[in-house]
C-alpha cells in the first residue's frame, strides 16, 4: 500500500511536460507525385519522470494525420488506427515501417525528398511537441544515424 501511495504522490510531484517528449530520427518515406497518403516514422522517447500519452498528431502540410499500427491477421497486414500511444518514463516507442506509424493523408502540396514538413504531436493534458520530418527516398541507415549523434 505504501508503495502504491508513493507512486501516486511521485506522479503528482512530477507531472509530464511537453518538453519531456523527444522526437528522434523523424522521417517520411517519399512517394510518387500525386500520392494521397504518405507514412511518417520516428522514435518517441520519454525523457521525463511521468508517463506521456500521445493522443494524436496534425500538420499544416496534410489534410489529416493519424496514428496507425500494422496488424497481421490471417497472413494479411492491415492498418488499424490507434487512439493513443502511452510512453512510460525512460521508455521509447518506435514508429517504423511494418509497425506503429503516422499516416499522413492528402498532402496539401507536392512533397519531395529533402523537404521537412512540421508535425505537431498532441499530448494528453493539452501539451504539444513540434518536430520536423525529413522526406527521404528510403529508411535512414541506422548505423549512420547513430554515428551522426555522437
Amino acid at each position: 500500500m505504501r508503495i502504491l501511495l508513493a507512486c501516486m504522490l511521485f506522479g503528482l510531484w512530477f507531472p509530464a511536460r511537453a518538453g519531456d517528449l523527444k522526437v528522434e530520427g523523424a522521417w517520411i518515406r517519399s512517394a510518387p507525385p500525386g500520392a494521397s497518403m504518405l507514412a511518417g516514422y520516428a522514435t518517441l522517447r520519454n525523457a521525463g519522470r511521468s508517463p506521456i500519452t500521445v493522443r494524436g498528431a496534425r500538420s499544416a502540410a496534410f489534410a489529416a494525420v493519424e496514428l496507425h499500427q500494422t496488424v497481421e491477421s490471417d497472413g494479411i497486414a492491415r492498418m488499424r488506427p490507434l487512439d493513443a500511444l502511452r510512453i512510460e518514463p525512460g521508455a521509447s516507442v518506435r514508429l517504423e515501417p511494418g509497425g506503429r506509424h503516422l499516416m499522413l493523408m492528402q498532402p496539401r502540396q507536392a512533397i519531395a525528398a529533402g523537404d521537412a514538413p512540421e508535425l505537431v504531436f498532441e499530448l494528453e493534458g493539452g501539451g504539444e511537441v513540434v518536430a520536423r520530418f525529413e522526406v527521404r527516398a528510403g529508411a535512414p541507415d541506422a548505423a549512420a544515424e547513430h554515428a551522426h549523434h555522437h
Side-chain angles (χ1 to χ4, degrees), residues 42-117:
T43 298
L44 306 179
R45 184 172 53 88
N46 182 348
R49 296 180 175 179
S50 297
I52 293 174
T53 300
V54 177
R55 284 290 191 201
R58 69 178 190 279
S59 174
F62 301 94
V65 177
E66 293 181 1
L67 293 166
H68 276 216
Q69 179 161 353
T70 303
V71 179
E72 199 164 312
S73 175
D74 297 323
I76 298 170
R78 301 183 194 281
M79 284 185 279
R80 302 273 189 246
L82 291 172
D83 292 331
L85 287 175
R86 182 179 167 94
I87 309 168
E88 296 298 326
S92 295
V93 170
R94 290 181 53 117
L95 303 178
E96 59 189 347
R100 290 175 285 214
H101 57 279
L102 295 170
M103 285 305 307
L104 311 170
M105 295 172 248
Q106 301 167 339
R108 295 200 162 119
Q109 62 190 31
I111 293 182
D115 292 345

Side-chain angles (χ1 to χ4, degrees), residues 115-145:
D115 292 345
E118 243 180 35
L119 276 78
V120 179
F121 288 94
E122 301 164 341
L123 309 182
E124 187 170 84
E128 297 182 341
V129 174
V130 178
R132 289 212 170 268
F133 277 64
E134 182 182 350
V135 179
R136 299 179 175 199
D141 176 20
E145 277 291 305

